[in-house]
Amino acid sequence: MKKKKVNTNILNSPDRIKERKRLNKENVFVDFKLDESLKDMGKGKSYYIYTYGCQENESDSEKIRGLLESVGYTEKLVLEEADVLVLNTCAIRKNAEDKVFGELGRLKQLKRERPEIVTIVCGCMAQEQDAVNLITKRYQNVDIVLGTHNIHDILGLIKKCYDKKERLVDVLSYEGDIVENVPMVRQSKIKAWVPIMYGCDEFCTYCIVPYTRGKERSRLPENILKEVNELVEKGYKEITLLGQNVNAYGKDFTDRSYDFADLLTDLHNTKIERIRFTTSNPKDFDDKQVKAMALGGNIMPQLHLPVQSGSNEVLKRMNRRYTRETYLSLVKKIKEAIPNISLTTDIIVAFPGETEEQFEETLSLVKECDYEGAFTFIYSPREGTPAASYTEQVPEDAAHERLYKLNELINEGYKKGSMRFLNTIQKVLIEGESKNDPNMLMGYNENGKLINVKGDKSLIGKIVNVKVTEAKTWSLDGEYVE
Ligand code: 5AD
Ligand code: SF4
């Protein structure tokens, strides 16, 4: 078996100091064009893709699939059979990174058996100096490290790797242009992710995302509306607008005054049947946006509004730039405007210096908000972020105890959020067969609650009435009614 010479060619490597900087340059919009010389490079070859982390990554993976398939690669569902392996990674917490390193370790054997395989690491971990150093040193089985800002270069890099038989690192520290019309293979024919902006300028002190995803850049509304109208024509029923802080959408436009409320209103007037969005930042959620959301109709009564902590002191050290009081008043306004809303949140426990009393303030806020769900996390230090160097890290056992207590409360919210639908008729977008029982269908109601439905497979892809017959903590059961 021929062993590949491992020579690493560093085209660009990540630099945290540069990643933190924001260059004062205007957004440039370009259309993706496939380099003719790459046209058939994937013919007869296949790929396998792992997607870790958030919806942004899911959406990026759809572009990676699109790019690979546009030159002939086909997707394999068994990784051992694929010629190109892509790991689209997440860096948000240490355990997300550990998963990737674990997988890369397991893949070493496969590379020994099939040295011709090209393994690519992209996504947020690729933007991290330390992770990239570790990969180039210890994981010789990785052929390409590609950053979040240039995923559309993936084909050229694979070609270079084939031709020159060298490992490549190409990670830009600054975001580049907004590239439109990148080919995409969407994972669903019913629901679609629609990124409306990229990057994040918030710099919460715990978070790595502003470094890994660059400056906030909004797509032009005309391009978003065109994409959504095309989705409608293709039969899509639901879109989820994506951005790290969708409420800041449009703030970077210099040629127009157009914000998230304007976008929601324009999308409300399209024929798409369901609109959701994530993630919201309470600091930028203004009254105009509440009003736009309250238009209802195709704008779903569901809101994910991360609070992170119920303590003003902790919020301040997190650099969240809102207070417990302003958050609660926003929640009150939203609930008055959209009484049927299902509210969910993100919470971090054991942020450095968080006292027992400050944690209790989070519990009391959770009770006040009546959340119907939450993602809860123990604080995980991220190298290079301000909070990682804060002293007074909370001991591990106290952190676990707080998480446990918080989850008990959150689970009550999930249960209450289910019970309110018992014996009601819900509009459900049927997505497919239920995971646990192929004789049942599954879908989501307008509030985003999972429902398993007794009904015929011909209902898949339709929005139908379902009578809820049982309410469990995490899901509902129901029957199709005419
Ligand atoms: N540690 C723990 N949780 C984090 N999050 C972001 N950064 C960290 C971190 N360093 C959580 C926040 C955010 C969600 C996506 O992940 O709650 O809203
Ligand atoms: Fe998504 Fe954030 Fe994870 Fe990156 S670090 S994949 S943006 S959750």
Side-chain angles (χ1 to χ4, degrees):
M1 204 184 300
K2 202 171 86 210
K3 202 157 190 258
K4 198 170 157 196
K5 192 172 123 231
V6 185
N7 167 35
T8 307
N9 183 357
I10 311 229
L11 301 171
N12 294 287
S13 60
D15 175 335
R16 183 153 306 119
I17 311 279
K18 285 189 191 159
E19 283 178 349
R20 198 190 153 79
K21 274 201 195 127
R22 292 298 185 253
L23 301 178
N24 198 14
K25 70 175 183 50
E26 299 246 327
N27 293 337
V28 179
F29 301 89
V30 297
D31 273 334
F32 176 79
K33 281 215 170 55
L34 181 66
D35 178 342
E36 278 296 302
S37 68
L38 306 175
K39 223 177 68 199
D40 293 325
M41 64 178 270
K43 272 226 167 110
K45 295 199 174 87
S46 61
Y47 72 93
Y48 181 93
I49 188 163
Y50 298 79
T51 307
Y52 301 87
C54 65
Q55 294 97 332
E56 257 82 5
N57 265 15
E58 296 281 346
S59 170
D60 282 349
S61 285
E62 296 187 335
K63 290 183 182 155
I64 295 168
R65 282 191 176 88
L67 288 160
L68 292 169
E69 294 192 18
S70 70
V71 296
Y73 287 96
T74 52
E75 184 163 14
K76 276 266 154 72
L77 299 174
V78 179
L79 88 99
E80 286 81 4
E81 294 172 4
D83 303 304
V84 172
L85 301 179
V86 183
L87 287 86
N88 192 7
T89 64
C90 171
I92 195 97
R93 280 170 293 276
K94 184 172 177 298
N95 57 5
E97 292 198 349
D98 290 346
K99 263 192 227 160
V100 174
F101 282 124
E103 194 57 49
L104 285 177
R106 281 188 288 280
L107 290 173
K108 282 182 179 173
Q109 178 58 26
L110 186 62
K111 184 77 175 175
R112 279 191 282 270
E113 287 162 16
R114 292 185 54 209
E116 73 281 5
I117 286 181
V118 174
T119 303
I120 304 172
V121 171
C122 60
C124 286
M125 266 172 79
Q127 292 291 146
E128 285 201 299
Q129 266 169 250
D130 304 332
V132 173
N133 287 340
L134 197 63
I135 289 169
T136 47
K137 242 190 248 146
R138 299 246 187 94
Y139 296 89
Q140 305 269 310
N141 53 324
V142 174
D143 300 279
I144 298 174
V145 179
L146 167 67
T148 58
H149 302 309
N150 52 334
I151 55 170
H152 45 275
D153 293 335
I154 194 166
L155 300 175
L157 289 169
I158 299 175
K159 181 81 175 18
K160 232 185 227 164
C161 183
Y162 285 152
D163 292 348
K164 299 211 170 150
K165 308 269 181 288
E166 60 185 9
R167 310 173 75 201
L168 295 160
V169 175
D170 195 4
V171 181
L172 307 176
S173 297
Y174 297 117
E175 60 289 328
D177 305 334
I178 294 188
V179 186
E180 292 288 347
N181 296 319
V182 177
M184 225 187 266
V185 173
R186 296 191 191 263
Q187 283 307 86
S188 161
K189 297 203 166 357
I190 300 167
K191 306 201 293 191
W193 307 118
V194 178
I196 60 168
M197 61 198 297
Y198 305 103
C200 179
D201 284 343
E202 302 309 319
F203 289 102
C204 301
T205 54
Y206 50 81
C207 190
I208 195 76
V209 174
Y211 305 83
T212 61
R213 293 276 172 174
K215 177 169 105 75
E216 265 169 24
R217 291 148 287 149
S218 304
R219 287 179 69 200
L220 294 174
E222 50 269 35
N223 289 335
I224 298 170
L225 283 157
K226 181 168 161 269
E227 183 174 337
V228 172
N229 286 324
E230 283 168 4
L231 287 166
V232 171
E233 268 174 28
K234 286 183 190 147
Y236 280 83
K237 295 285 189 296
E238 180 173 313
I239 53 166
T240 301
L241 308 176
L242 295 182
Q244 295 299 339
N245 172 7
V246 291
N247 311 89
Y249 173 79
K251 287 194 173 176
D252 51 329
F253 290 147
T254 50
D255 63 335
R256 64 187 89 195
S257 149
Y258 187 95
D259 61 14
F260 184 58
D262 297 320
L263 181 66
L264 264 190
T265 309
D266 282 343
L267 289 168
H268 173 72
N269 293 328
T270 65
K271 292 206 164 64
I272 193 75
E273 294 190 52
R274 289 181 160 198
I275 302 169
R276 303 185 196 274
F277 52 86
T278 197
T279 300
S280 286
N281 189 320
K283 149 185 162 286
D284 292 309
F285 210 128
D286 61 21
D287 290 355
K288 188 177 163 197
Q289 295 180 16
V290 176
K291 221 168 138 195
M293 220 191 146
L295 288 170
N298 56 0
I299 303 175
M300 294 295 101
Q302 179 201 9
L303 181 64
H304 187 65
L305 193 64
V307 67
Q308 313 299 359
S309 166
S311 150
N312 279 337
E313 266 148 68
V314 175
L315 288 172
K316 199 158 180 199
R317 273 182 295 122
M318 287 178 163
N319 190 31
R320 289 292 286 176
R321 290 180 284 172
Y322 55 82
T323 63
R324 173 189 178 99
E325 291 73 28
T326 55
Y327 182 90
L328 286 171
S329 113
L330 173 63
V331 166
K332 188 161 171 270
K333 260 189 238 167
I334 291 169
K335 287 192 172 178
E336 273 166 13
I338 311 138
N340 176 33
I341 196 141
S342 288
L343 191 68
T344 55
T345 198
D346 287 348
I347 296 171
I348 298 176
V349 300
F351 185 74
E354 184 190 67
T355 64
E356 210 45 54
E357 291 72 34
Q358 289 165 344
F359 170 65
E360 292 289 332
E361 288 185 72
T362 297
L363 294 181
S364 85
L365 178 131
V366 167
K367 285 183 194 142
E368 229 172 294
C369 289
D370 259 331
Y371 293 117
E372 292 186 8
F375 297 119
T376 56
F377 312 103
I378 291 176
Y379 167 72
S380 168
R382 301 285 65 211
E383 187 75 35
T385 60
S389 57
Y390 289 178
T391 49
E392 306 178 304
Q393 303 281 337
V394 176
E396 223 175 284
D397 47 348
H400 282 283
E401 213 169 283
R402 286 181 199 174
L403 184 70
Y404 182 81
K405 247 190 191 167
L406 174 63
N407 282 344
E408 296 239 294
L409 196 57
I410 294 294
N411 292 349
E412 279 175 33
Y414 271 109
K415 180 86 194 173
K416 253 166 89 181
S418 288
M419 288 307 289
R420 74 173 171 120
F421 299 117
L422 188 61
N423 296 324
T424 64
I425 306 278
Q426 292 295 305
K427 287 207 171 342
V428 179
L429 171 54
I430 305 289
E431 291 185 14
E433 288 173 11
S434 163
K435 271 202 193 107
N436 303 329
D437 181 354
N439 295 317
M440 297 281 277
L441 303 170
M442 59 73 67
Y444 292 86
N445 73 352
E446 296 200 325
N447 297 63
K449 195 90 197 177
L450 173 67
I451 308 196
N452 292 307
V453 181
K454 225 183 257 166
D456 189 81
K457 292 201 182 10
S458 61
L459 300 179
I460 294 173
K462 293 186 182 145
I463 296 174
V464 298
N465 287 330
V466 173
K467 167 98 188 281
V468 179
T469 51
E470 197 180 340
K472 303 171 185 162
T473 304
W474 316 110
S475 64
L476 307 169
D477 284 345
E479 281 164 15
Y480 165 65
V481 288
E482 295 275 344

